[in-house]
């Protein structure tokens, strides 16, 4: 997975990365714009990954922007060599299922046209110097053609330089499902396809049915983009009681009603145990209904936001539409923060 996260200093974003990793069984994650410097709080890699079987490399931010993090499953990928610069991390090693070296390149393209050209030349030199199966991923801060932007001007020379790099490196820009544009700038409703996967012919010969898609922008203005060869199914999560539930409407009333409805008999300890079972069943039933309602609201909100973004592809958004999208983003972040607190309680 590749994700421009726009800062990793908040717990709910760490939890977001872990949820994506668990949901899609990711073996490699490339993160851009970590915004973590040498004096910043220590990167919570374990929180992102969810267990201890990982390796990682990091490039600290320069100024107030930038920063890169690459994390991988140490059971499937063993690193032999690392090459780092301000704008990319290259990790070369042995990957399970691929003969020879495999190179994962995490890229955060610079904004300057001159700097972009320098980075493309550096990446081309790295690729040509190593015999490996190559996967480039990241926010390249460049588009390939005018139709990959809306409400902003395409720099023709920058696009030509980027296309020349892709051709010279003999890479394939994978077709992407899901979101048509990976970046949405609310101010001006500007949409662009900046994030992508570029792979070599060797990779395509090993994984001919590979799929690539852009997911919804939940906690960033960039879409997480995922490369995968299969889908995994997961069972339902176990029932837990979290502090956040007690702040939700209907929880107190549900508990009171369950206590009043309970009728017990026998020894006091057995009555108490049965009362707790009855209470747990009532809370579980209430939470199941609440989750369905919350999920429906979240789905509806994301649908509205997606519709607004789709409208932005064809006309300028009204102030009301922009405000509605901003409010939707705030609600999604609030839900993510509550979820982060729940996960923290589960881990304690």
């Amino acid at each position: 997975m590749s994700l421009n996260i726009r800062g990793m200093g908040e717990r709910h974003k760490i939890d977001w990365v872990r949820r994506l990793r668990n949901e899609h069984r990711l073996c490699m994650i490339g993160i851009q714009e970590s915004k973590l410097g040498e004096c910043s709080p220590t990167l919570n890699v374990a929180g992102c990954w969810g267990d201890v079987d990982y390796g990682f490399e990091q490039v600290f931010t320069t100024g107030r922007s930038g920063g890169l993090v690459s994390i991988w499953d140490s059971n499937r990928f063993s690193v032999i060599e690392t090459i780092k610069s301000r704008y990319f991390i290259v990790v070369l090693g042995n990957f399970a299922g691929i003969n020879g070296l495999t190179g994962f390149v995490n890229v955060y393209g610079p904004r300057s046209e001159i700097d972009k050209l320098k980075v493309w030349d550096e990446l081309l030199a790295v690729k040509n110097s190593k015999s490996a199966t190559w996967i480039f991923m990241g926010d390249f801060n460049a588009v390939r053609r005018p139709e990959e932007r809306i409400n902003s001007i395409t720099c023709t020379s920058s696009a030509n330089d980027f296309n020349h790099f892709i051709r010279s490196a003999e890479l394939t820009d994978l077709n992407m499902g899901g979101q048509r544009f990976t970046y949405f700038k609310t101010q001006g409703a500007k949409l662009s396809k900046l994030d992508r996967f570029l792979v070599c012919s060797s990779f395509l010969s090993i994984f001919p049915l590979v799929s690539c898609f852009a997911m919804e922008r939940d906690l960033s203005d960039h879409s997480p983009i995922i490369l995968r060869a299969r889908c995994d199914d997961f069972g339902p999560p176990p029932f837990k009681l979290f502090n956040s539930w007690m702040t939700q409407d209907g929880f107190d009333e549900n508990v009171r009603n369950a206590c009043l409805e309970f009728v017990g008999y026998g020894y006091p300890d057995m009555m108490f145990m049965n009362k707790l079972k009855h209470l747990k069943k009532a809370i579980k039933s209430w939470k199941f209904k609440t989750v369905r309602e919350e999920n429906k609201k979240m789905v509806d909100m994301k649908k509205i936001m997606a519709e607004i973004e789709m409208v932005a592809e064809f006309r300028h958004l009204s102030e009301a539409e922009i405000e509605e999208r901003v409010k939707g983003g705030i609600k999604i972040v609030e839900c993510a923060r509550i979820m982060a607190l729940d996960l923290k309680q589960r881990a304690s």
Side-chain angles (χ1 to χ4, degrees), residues 80-81 92-95 98-103 130-134:
I80 296 175
E81 183 180 359
L92 283 153
N94 296 314
F95 185 79
I98 299 180
N99 293 326
L101 287 177
T102 301
K130 308 289 182 180
S131 178
T133 298
W134 290 97

Side-chain angles (χ1 to χ4, degrees), residues 62-82:
T62 301
R64 299 181 62 184
S65 64
L68 290 156
V69 181
S70 292
I71 315 172
W72 58 87
D73 185 342
S74 57
N75 292 319
R76 301 186 64 186
F77 184 57
S78 57
V79 174
I80 296 175
E81 183 180 359
T82 301

Side-chain angles (χ1 to χ4, degrees), residues 150 184 191 305-315 317:
I150 287 183
F184 185 100
L191 297 94
M305 292 176 67
E307 289 173 351
I308 291 174
E309 292 179 11
M310 187 172 294
V311 168
E313 296 180 9
F314 302 99
R315 65 167 173 80
L317 296 179

Side-chain angles (χ1 to χ4, degrees), residues 27 44 50 93 152 187 273 277 336 340:
C27 61
N44 184 3
S152 60
Q187 185 179 4
M273 182 183 70
K277 286 183 178 180

Side-chain angles (χ1 to χ4, degrees), residues 216 218 292-305 328 331-336:
E216 294 173 334
D218 281 354
R292 284 193 303 176
E293 293 174 353
E294 289 175 346
N295 289 342
K296 185 179 183 305
K297 289 179 181 178
M298 190 60 63
V299 168
D300 291 343
M301 179 59 64
K302 290 182 178 181
K303 183 178 178 181
I304 291 172
M305 292 176 67
K331 288 181 180 179
I332 290 174
V333 170
E334 288 175 352
C335 290

